[in-house]
Amino acid sequence: MQMLYISLALFLLANLAVGMWRVLRGPGVADRMLAAQLFGTTAVAILLLLAEAAKSNALRDVALVFALLAAVTAVAFVKRAWSMPEARDID
Amino acid sequence: MEALDFALGLFDILLVFLVLSLAWLVMSSEDLFRAIVLFVAFGLLMALVWVRLEAPDIALAEAAIGAGLTGALMMAALDRLSSVKPIQKVAASAQRKQLSLSSKVLPLIALVLIVLGLGYALLSLPEIADGLTPNVKENMAQSGVKNPVTAVLLNFRGYDTLLEMVVLLLALLSVWSLGGERKLSPRSTNPILGSLCRVLVPVLILVSCYLLWVGADAPGGAFQAGSVLGAAGVLLLLSGWHVEQKYLLWPLRFILILGSGVFIIMAAVLLLIQGGLLTYPVAQAGWMILLLESAATLSIGATLAALFLGGVPKSRVDQ
């Protein structure tokens, strides 16, 4: 079972590496931000898998904090991008 | 078992590769917004690195501060930078033209020397070193808590945390002395943001209390709890939370200095009674640490939210 968790975590990390392409290429700011949000979600999944593999409750807390704070970053971004006309033009 | 080690090894190699390339991209990115997004991603992966190094306490702090709040703080800073952007662009292009050979070679030599020095220091370390772990283990019974990290931060080296609290306060004071007055943003009419706030803010406060409480015997503590509380504050500020002017003056300042204040009073009282700085009596150590941490959590949360605002807060309604 542990092997399955670790392989899945590895697969998700590889996904994250592919997602970096979108952050680098953009083209719009929203594309970059959404890619970063995808990173956050993937990291939560990786942490939960590692927590299950290592039987560690502390890692679930880390995942919880990640999930909560990703939403705050997203709101900060949306408030910024949608109040600035130039950001809207790029999208 | 061998296959498991192999998979974990692959995971670590990929993680190290990603972290290093992200670090490079953050530093070399000319587009500041891209740099912020990359930095948030870097924070996420750093938390994973700490998890793999079996340091869940630091992973939690990195998740709360590095990947969470820093992104929002930097975004606010970028917002205010937009008025000075043209100057910065001119300066950058002027700099690029002037880069001569010696200004490229000298940093390279300095970097090589630093790498050599660090490499030497790393290789000359003893292979197996216990450090202070045995000392901490011996004295755990007297610390009043069960989590060794909390014991070190709040008991054995409590003055470190005391000074950190003062540093946070100083950071806010310098921002306030530079930033002028900032009006709270108008109430958002966006129904999505409103309902998100109603759901998320109570959960953030609950998780903050949980992290504070769990810090006594598992990873958690004042800094993590404080930054989650700060995130709740940031969310409320973004949604145009209305605070009356009278609460922004003394009540806010009281909460901001509460952490450092309680710490200093506690240190002074213990210095008089026990004869040592922050040497708690064994029987009372547990609740004393909890009191210090609760005060620190409130102050850290308020300080971070105030830092996000970037100036002395002022109510929208002039009085």
Side-chain angles (χ1 to χ4, degrees):
Chain A
M1 214 47 194
Q2 241 184 346
M3 189 60 208
L4 177 69
Y5 294 140
I6 300 292
S7 334
L8 280 175
L10 184 62
F11 173 70
L12 285 173
L13 193 68
N15 260 320
L16 222 149
V18 178
M20 244 167 78
W21 178 248
R22 194 38 71 193
V23 179
L24 292 177
R25 276 299 295 272
V29 282
D31 300 285
R32 298 210 164 111
M33 196 61 215
L34 276 176
Q37 290 290 310
L38 176 71
F39 278 28
T41 316
T42 313
V44 168
I46 293 175
L47 280 167
L48 290 176
L49 284 167
L50 289 180
E52 206 56 45
K55 300 268 179 291
S56 158
N57 285 328
L59 298 191
R60 289 195 190 95
D61 291 349
V62 182
L64 177 68
V65 170
F66 259 152
L68 283 173
L69 293 194
V72 178
T73 318
V75 173
F77 161 73
V78 171
K79 287 289 274 190
R80 178 183 177 271
W82 266 255
S83 64
M84 285 173 62
E86 48 169 315
R88 231 172 323 190
D89 289 345
I90 305 169
D91 293 339
Chain B
M1 215 52 211
E2 226 169 57
L4 194 66
D5 284 341
F6 178 71
L8 274 174
L10 265 184
F11 185 87
D12 291 347
I13 291 169
L14 187 57
L15 192 58
V16 167
F17 169 75
L18 279 173
V19 166
L20 285 179
S21 43
L22 268 174
W24 173 255
L25 289 167
V26 170
M27 298 307 289
S28 63
S29 176
E30 278 187 29
D31 178 357
L32 289 180
F33 180 79
R34 193 175 88 156
I36 293 176
V37 171
L38 287 168
F39 187 77
V40 170
F42 175 78
L44 286 171
L45 290 179
M46 263 327 277
L48 285 181
V49 170
W50 289 120
V51 165
R52 288 296 301 138
L53 290 172
E54 292 177 16
D57 288 86
I58 311 178
L60 201 57
E62 179 70 40
I65 299 166
L69 263 186
T70 319
L73 280 175
M74 284 183 164
M75 217 99 77
L78 183 63
D79 224 6
R80 303 188 70 180
L81 259 183
S82 54
S83 53
V84 283
K85 226 171 190 175
I87 306 164
Q88 179 211 355
K89 266 183 190 156
V90 172
S93 59
Q95 241 171 14
R96 205 165 304 132
K97 273 179 209 154
Q98 285 166 2
L99 269 185
S100 62
L101 193 65
S102 66
S103 64
K104 278 181 186 165
V105 171
L106 283 178
L108 187 70
I109 295 173
L111 268 179
V112 168
L113 284 178
I114 291 172
V115 167
L116 285 178
L118 280 177
Y120 175 74
L122 198 66
L123 289 176
S124 63
L125 286 175
E127 253 177 48
I128 301 161
D130 285 339
L132 293 169
T133 318
N135 284 7
V136 173
K137 267 190 189 148
E138 258 171 47
N139 294 308
M140 272 311 285
Q142 280 127 52
S143 68
V145 288
K146 290 196 195 93
N147 179 16
V149 177
T150 309
V152 171
L153 286 181
L154 268 303
N155 196 336
F156 305 147
R157 285 182 69 87
Y159 52 90
D160 270 7
T161 312
L162 166 68
L163 292 175
E164 274 167 28
M165 292 300 302
V166 178
V167 166
L168 258 181
L169 198 58
L170 280 178
L172 183 66
L173 283 180
S174 39
V175 167
W176 275 12
S177 57
L178 291 172
E181 284 189 333
R182 297 280 283 178
K183 276 194 182 168
L184 301 182
S185 58
R187 188 180 293 275
S188 162
T189 48
N190 190 337
I192 300 174
L193 188 54
S195 50
L196 179 75
C197 266
R198 276 192 288 280
V199 175
L200 206 54
V201 170
V203 178
L204 282 167
I205 294 173
L206 185 69
V207 169
S208 166
C209 295
Y210 162 71
L211 286 175
L212 174 67
W213 181 253
V214 85
D217 40 26
F223 271 85
Q224 291 89 335
S227 34
V228 172
L229 199 62
V234 167
L235 199 59
L236 283 172
L237 285 175
L238 284 169
S239 72
W241 183 42
H242 181 76
V243 191
E244 279 183 46
Q245 186 68 33
K246 60 178 178 185
Y247 296 118
L248 288 177
L249 205 63
W250 296 115
L252 176 67
R253 283 160 178 73
F254 176 73
I255 293 177
L256 289 175
I257 60 162
L258 187 68
S260 319
V262 171
F263 238 117
I264 291 170
I265 292 170
M266 186 83 93
V269 169
L270 287 173
L271 191 61
L272 286 178
I273 299 175
Q274 298 275 319
L277 194 70
L278 291 171
T279 43
Y280 314 97
V282 176
Q284 275 87 38
W287 71 260
M288 280 183 165
I289 288 178
L290 187 64
L291 179 71
L292 280 181
E293 286 208 292
S294 311
T297 302
L298 278 177
S299 284
I300 293 168
T303 310
L304 288 173
L307 277 174
F308 177 75
L309 199 60
V312 184
K314 191 167 175 286
S315 183
R316 310 188 280 284
V317 190
D318 286 309
Q319 284 166 355

